[in-house]
Amino acid sequence: MYHHIKQLMYTVRIGTPDPRFGNMLLEQFGGENGELAAAMQYSVQGINCDDPERKDLLMDIGTEELSHLEVVGVLTRMHLKPTKTKRNAAETDPLIAICGGGGVSLRNSMGQAWTANYLKITGELDVDLRSNIAAEARAKIVYERLMEFTDDPGTLDALQFLMTREITHMKAFSLALETPGKPALSSGKLPPTPGLVDQYFNDSTGIGDRGEPDARGPWNQGNGWEFVEAPAFQELLSVQSGERQPSESDGGSSSHENGSSTHKKRAGGAKSSKSK
């Protein structure tokens, strides 16, 4: 059950209205990374959630996002208000001025209508929590970028509050993800293929004029990783280095033809030969 309290979660004050900036603010009202999308995503996930503790988390944050929608809506309306009566302000966005009477609507800053396609809902708790962490990170960045385009102190204060709460939610979702009783990096029920799951494919290769040097880090070394060098070229390299002799399926071609025999074999779809 929802109960509306006639008081904003954060009191909004602005100086001089800026209709153009108000139009930008619509991105966080009816946009893909906005507050309505967040409120709907978390609330629907909560309705679907069988875990009572995380259901409570999702409903709490989903409800808070509705309060943020109200804050953004009031802030946006304050900046857009001149478009209702002043011609030069109305010209900044006729859709808002003529169709919306200078108020907010469920559209983004480009006038595109809000859609449920913005929502990421799978019914798998760990997958949904990861989507929520990403959603909060994207919303944080949008608020950060909005703050670059206004000098109004009251507007900046409100945006700072909203940006900070995105970080709070990211923290809560991250911690909730750590405790559902599943391995940290697992998703769904089916286990991965052993060995293959720990192979890092180095699929962007080349140095100097042929590309940038390969990078190494905890994402591809240590912690059980097997670094597989350029898997698309492994067969070619093994023939050229003498580690594997061409078989009949290779057409008996020499391994010293600048890779042409291997290339033709690949293009022709012949079966790969086994290493000796």
Side-chain angles (χ1 to χ4, degrees):
M1 181 175 79
Y2 289 93
H3 180 85
H4 180 250
I5 299 172
K6 291 184 279 289
Q7 178 179 349
L8 292 176
M9 175 173 275
Y10 187 90
T11 302
V12 177
R13 297 181 178 89
I14 71 168
T16 303
D18 182 348
R20 291 184 180 275
F21 186 71
N23 188 41
M24 293 182 189
L25 285 170
L26 283 172
E27 199 61 43
Q28 284 303 85
F29 193 79
E32 183 174 4
N33 301 305
E35 301 295 352
L36 178 63
M40 293 298 98
Q41 179 164 306
Y42 307 157
S43 297
V44 175
Q45 288 175 356
I47 292 171
N48 291 336
C49 187
D50 295 324
D51 181 307
E53 288 82 9
R54 284 155 193 79
K55 179 184 183 75
D56 187 53
L57 167 69
L58 290 164
M59 298 306 291
D60 281 345
I61 297 182
T63 302
E64 182 180 347
E65 300 291 11
L66 285 174
S67 73
H68 292 178
L69 182 71
E70 185 178 20
V71 172
V72 172
V74 171
L75 180 63
T76 306
R77 166 65 172 162
M78 286 180 172
H79 280 289
L80 291 178
K81 197 170 183 179
T83 64
K84 188 171 185 175
T85 57
K86 297 180 180 179
R87 168 67 182 268
N88 61 339
E91 288 176 347
T92 64
D93 196 316
L95 178 65
I96 293 172
I98 306 304
C99 296
V104 298
S105 62
L106 293 184
R107 297 179 182 275
N108 64 15
S109 58
M110 299 299 292
Q112 298 164 331
W114 188 90
T115 169
N117 290 331
Y118 292 158
L119 310 186
K120 305 295 185 289
I121 301 167
T122 69
E124 290 289 335
L125 179 59
D126 55 330
V127 176
D128 284 344
L129 286 172
R130 289 188 179 95
S131 293
N132 297 352
I133 294 167
E136 295 293 329
R138 289 192 296 268
K140 190 268 183 186
I141 292 300
V142 174
Y143 279 125
E144 189 173 302
R145 289 171 178 170
L146 284 169
M147 292 172 72
E148 293 290 330
F149 296 111
T150 181
D151 296 321
D152 179 70
T155 299
L156 286 170
D157 286 345
L159 294 177
Q160 175 70 29
F161 168 79
L162 293 164
M163 183 191 71
T164 299
R165 293 305 296 171
E166 305 298 342
I167 299 171
T168 303
H169 297 166
M170 197 188 317
K171 178 180 177 181
F173 287 136
S174 296
L175 293 171
L177 182 61
E178 295 179 1
T179 53
K182 297 175 65 176
L185 298 178
S186 68
S187 296
K189 300 175 181 178
L190 297 178
T193 302
L196 180 63
V197 70
D198 295 319
Q199 289 183 333
Y200 180 90
F201 288 175
N202 185 28
D203 284 329
S204 56
T205 59
I207 58 175
D209 293 338
R210 298 176 58 195
E212 297 296 327
D214 291 330
R216 303 300 298 270
W219 57 88
N220 63 15
Q221 67 180 357
N223 301 311
W225 281 115
E226 176 189 356
F227 191 83
V228 180
E229 186 67 57
F233 298 107
Q234 283 301 305
E235 185 175 300
L236 172 64
L237 292 173
S238 65
V239 173
Q240 290 182 337
S241 65
E243 296 174 6
R244 180 178 67 82
Q245 296 301 316
S247 67
E248 292 181 1
S249 63
D250 293 318
S253 299
S254 168
S255 61
H256 301 287
E257 296 181 7
N258 298 321
S260 60
S261 61
T262 303
H263 174 75
K264 291 176 182 177
K265 175 176 68 62
R266 283 180 174 274
K271 294 181 179 178
S272 299
S273 57
K274 296 181 179 178
S275 299
K276 291 183 179 179

